[in-house]
């Protein structure tokens, strides 16, 4: 399977690798782009979460395996990743999509499921890691403390300055997780991310 923009959609050699399809109102809601991870991976679930803002599309791939920088650790299964695709509108019409920018958690680890959820606003976007395991509370805590399995975390990115504050809840023993709530859809306003509880296996937090 060819990764990136406009690959061969008829190549079905990677089960559950995932894809995203962009439809443009300017073309009468015809498909304008076929998007894949830059390097597609079997069972990685690219497209599990999607958000769009202006000429940007944000896509999560929560089951992507990543390689650790430590050769003794090797592959980090289901660490997860997210991608930002941008488009341009040429003067002669149409829409041209650019290759993706990859985003991973600053403390990525096996089983984090970074990219499980995504939300975007005109200035920033947020990525949820459903099973991230740190015991940090609130914003900017110790992300290296992995003593709370499946506690979950959210990562915030400024689209223009790439600021990446890190946010977690207190480890949750009630069996609820946080979910973005705005008419049932993912949304980040200019200054806040709204989280609401939803039924989930014990100890998990995300959005």
């Amino acid at each position: 399977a060819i990764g990136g923009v406009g690959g061969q959609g008829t190549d079905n050699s990677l089960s559950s690798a995932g894809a995203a399809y962009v439809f443009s109102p300017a073309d009468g809601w015809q498909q304008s782009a076929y998007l894949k991870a830059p390097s597609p991976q079997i069972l990685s679930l690219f497209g599990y979460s999607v958000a769009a803002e202006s000429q940007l599309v944000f896509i999560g791939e929560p089951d992507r395996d990543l390689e650790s920088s430590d050769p003794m650790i090797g592959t980090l299964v289901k660490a997860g990743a997210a991608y930002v695709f941008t488009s341009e509108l040429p003067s002669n019409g149409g829409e041209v999509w650019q290759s993706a920018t990859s985003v991973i958690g600053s403390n990525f680890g096996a089983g984090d499921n970074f990219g499980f959820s995504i939300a975007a606003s005109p200035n920033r976007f947020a990525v949820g890691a459903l099973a991230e395991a740190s015991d940090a509370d609130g914003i900017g805590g110790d992300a290296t403390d992995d003593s709370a399995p499946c506690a979950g975390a959210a990562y915030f990115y400024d689209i223009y300055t790439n600021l990446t504050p890190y946010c977690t809840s207190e480890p949750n023993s009630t069996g609820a997780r946080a979910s973005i709530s705005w008419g049932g859809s993912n949304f980040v306003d200019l200054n806040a991310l709204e989280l609401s509880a939803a039924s989930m296996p014990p100890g998990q937090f995300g959005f």
Side-chain angles (χ1 to χ4, degrees), residues 18-141:
Y21 302 78
V22 180
F23 295 84
S24 172
D27 298 326
W29 293 111
Q30 297 296 309
Q31 182 177 320
S32 61
Y34 171 70
L35 307 178
K36 297 280 289 184
S39 177
Q41 212 177 73
I42 190 170
L43 302 176
S44 63
L45 303 183
F46 175 89
Y48 187 89
S49 59
V50 176
E53 180 62 43
S54 186
Q55 300 304 116
L56 302 172
V57 171
F58 309 86
I59 302 175
E61 188 181 28
D63 281 5
R64 184 172 188 85
D65 299 342
L66 300 177
E67 292 299 320
S68 169
S69 58
D70 184 346
M72 297 297 291
I73 296 176
T75 301
L76 299 171
V77 177
K78 296 185 178 181
Y83 306 88
V84 183
F85 291 83
T86 61
S87 68
E88 298 178 354
L89 300 175
S91 58
N92 60 351
E95 192 171 35
V96 178
W97 286 88
Q98 307 298 318
S99 297
T101 298
S102 301
V103 179
I104 59 175
S106 55
N107 62 325
F108 68 91
D112 281 357
N113 297 130
F114 179 90
F116 178 85
S117 50
I118 290 184
S121 78
N123 298 311
R124 55 182 59 87
F125 66 102
V127 182
L130 179 73
E132 189 270 350
S134 89
D135 191 32
D137 293 345
I139 298 174

Side-chain angles (χ1 to χ4, degrees), residues 11 18 45 69 90 196 207:
D11 178 352
L45 303 183
S69 58
S196 63
F207 65 86

